[in-house]
Amino acid sequence: MPSPAGSDISIAYDDSGEGPAILFLHGIFVSKAQWEAQARAFSRDHRVIACDLRGHGESPASAEPYSVQLFAEDVARLLDGLGLDRVVCCGHSFGGMVAQELALRRPELVRGLVLAETIYGVASTPLEATLSRAASLAFGAVQPRWLMTGLAACFGAISPGGAQRIEEEAKRHLEDEANALNILRASMRFDSRWRLHEIDCPTLLVVGQIPHVPLVMAQSWEMFWRIKGARLTVVPFAGHMVHWDNPAWFNRLLGDFVDRLPQAEAPRSSP
């Protein structure tokens, strides 16, 4: 369904279940559909919100330059419109960047933070900036659809049917090349490294045992060190798509994290 009024675009979202709210934010070039297994499991005793970020899935694109801050503002407006605050925010990969920004910009909205296979950015040091630039040039020499086929085969190798699902969604997003490039540039510009100490809510970092993206494993340890009181957990038999590859383990981790949080306050009534 579309998001409540108050934004320049209408953010699509799914809303199911009742109880303390969990917000799920998907990765780059996919959609809220990636959280189907978690929505089924947690909507039994939680209110589950899964949204399509701007320019993804059923949410329309827009012309202005994207930024992770813009995506976080969209999500904050969605929560405000639904009368929700103090949610548990669970973000995967690019969605984890948006989740970090939401916790930093609107800390009153975030009761707990789950960062799954995500990073704080790719350009916070000269070395990272140089490596990122080199990777961008290398990727630029490859046809985007070929690149997505290779990445899908890698990331989806563990989960049955995972490679096909990722490839289908990614290629659909690449049909609008300007929008896809806008999203990619937003991800490349994001940098929360020097602000991570400002995150002031219980935080769970989740990585897969198989380091499909070595940078994720390296930065997750630094995030664990920089975010006050954070926990870091490795999910066995899982790679980048950690919530697909071992959903039972991932869901158990998430459920345990949510259950250990202080009691949520009653949600605000929608305006």
Side-chain angles (χ1 to χ4, degrees):
M1 64 183 73
S3 65
S7 174
D8 60 325
I9 66 167
S10 183
I11 297 296
Y13 69 98
D14 293 334
D15 185 349
S16 59
E18 296 181 357
I22 305 176
L23 170 70
F24 289 100
L25 302 177
H26 61 77
I28 197 167
F29 300 148
V30 289
S31 70
K32 55 183 167 51
Q34 82 166 81
W35 296 110
E36 289 174 350
Q38 285 67 46
R40 284 195 302 271
F42 287 97
S43 60
R44 298 167 188 160
D45 47 15
H46 294 81
R47 184 175 181 182
V48 172
I49 309 294
C51 68
D52 281 335
L53 299 173
R54 181 184 295 242
H56 290 80
E58 298 172 0
S59 293
S62 58
E64 74 268 39
Y66 292 167
S67 66
V68 171
Q69 291 80 4
L70 177 64
F71 290 115
E73 289 168 5
D74 289 339
V75 173
R77 280 192 291 265
L78 172 63
L79 295 177
D80 286 339
L82 294 173
L84 288 171
D85 55 16
R86 308 302 293 166
V87 304
V88 174
C89 183
C90 177
H92 172 256
S93 194
F94 180 70
M97 297 180 183
V98 179
Q100 291 171 62
E101 194 63 34
L102 180 67
L104 287 164
R105 295 175 74 88
R106 295 289 303 275
E108 75 280 5
L109 294 178
V110 183
R111 175 177 164 232
L113 190 61
V114 180
L115 303 175
E117 281 282 315
T118 194
I119 59 175
Y120 55 67
V122 295
S124 63
T125 67
L127 175 59
E128 288 177 349
T130 300
L131 293 174
S132 297
R133 178 61 178 165
S136 296
L137 292 173
F139 289 160
V142 181
Q143 286 287 338
R145 291 179 180 274
W146 297 351
L147 177 62
M148 285 302 162
T149 297
L151 291 176
C154 176
F155 295 162
I158 301 173
S159 177
Q164 181 179 356
R165 291 174 63 190
I166 296 170
E167 185 173 5
E168 287 176 352
E169 284 225 70
K171 285 186 174 179
R172 180 165 54 84
H173 285 86
L174 289 174
E175 291 175 0
D176 184 343
E177 293 184 7
N179 180 62
L181 185 59
N182 209 354
I183 296 169
L184 187 60
R185 284 173 174 164
S187 72
M188 298 293 285
R189 287 193 295 262
F190 179 70
D191 181 9
S192 67
R193 185 185 193 188
W194 310 114
R195 298 180 292 148
L196 290 170
H197 66 280
E198 298 174 17
I199 293 177
D200 191 27
C201 64
T203 301
L204 174 66
L205 299 157
V206 182
V207 295
Q209 178 185 18
I210 302 167
H212 281 148
V213 186
L215 184 64
V216 166
M217 183 67 77
Q219 289 198 3
S220 290
W221 280 105
E222 184 166 354
M223 293 168 77
F224 166 68
W225 175 69
R226 288 185 180 275
I227 300 174
K228 180 176 61 178
R231 292 167 48 202
L232 174 62
T233 302
V234 179
V235 176
F237 312 111
H240 187 58
M241 301 302 290
V242 60
H243 54 303
W244 284 8
D245 295 341
N246 196 339
W249 198 292
F250 181 88
N251 291 353
R252 187 161 57 248
L253 281 175
L254 176 56
D256 179 68
F257 175 76
V258 172
D259 289 345
R260 291 173 181 268
L261 292 174
Q263 189 70 28
E265 298 176 1
R268 294 172 288 145
S269 58
S270 300

